[in-house]
Amino acid sequence: MKVIDVYKQYFAADCMFHTVQRNGAVVTLTATSDSGMIKYEVGVSFFPHRDPEDFGISYDAYASKEIYNAKGRRSKKKEAVFMEQLREHADAAAAELGGTIFWDKPLRDAQLG
């Protein structure tokens, strides 16, 4: 099984989860390929981010949504479409946790894989 973070970026956020205030979120688009199948998933993990250097991810405030699962392999064309839909899917996952992602306040530059 091969897992690749197609996209990963940290943003300011707001989420109270398990009595801990979370002020940051990491948003990912992950591709997983295995035995001729490809799956894409959007994930959101809220973390405390208590100061500008605090990027310690706490995976208890995590939600994800599978957006594609079929025979095939990675496709830049499909990934471009998934990137256009990323915020919508990430916002839905964040809402499941009662959180909000501040898209206009990135904490780090995007990492593309």
Side-chain angles (χ1 to χ4, degrees):
M1 181 180 331
K2 188 172 185 180
V3 179
I4 298 169
D5 280 336
V6 175
Y7 168 86
K8 181 177 184 179
Q9 191 167 11
Y10 295 81
F11 293 91
D14 179 44
C15 182
M16 177 65 76
F17 195 81
H18 287 165
T19 69
V20 177
Q21 178 61 37
R22 317 300 170 106
N23 300 310
V26 58
V27 177
T28 58
L29 173 62
T30 305
T32 305
S33 62
D34 190 28
S35 303
M37 298 292 290
I38 185 78
K39 174 177 79 170
Y40 286 92
E41 181 177 45
V42 173
V44 176
S45 184
F46 289 97
F47 60 99
H49 194 62
R50 293 181 180 102
D51 63 61
E53 302 300 317
D54 180 13
F55 287 90
I57 304 299
S58 50
Y59 289 98
D60 61 336
Y62 175 80
S64 66
K65 182 176 182 182
E66 185 178 292
I67 59 172
Y68 184 83
N69 191 346
K71 284 186 176 185
R73 57 185 180 182
R74 279 188 73 185
S75 161
K76 296 291 182 184
K77 190 174 180 178
K78 285 180 193 159
E79 289 175 4
V81 172
F82 298 150
M83 286 300 297
E84 289 175 8
Q85 303 167 349
L86 180 88
R87 288 185 180 192
E88 177 185 338
H89 293 302
D91 284 339
E96 290 177 20
L97 300 169
T100 303
I101 301 164
F102 301 122
W103 296 104
D104 59 338
K105 296 180 182 176
L107 300 174
R108 288 192 173 171
D109 290 336
Q111 299 169 346
L112 304 173

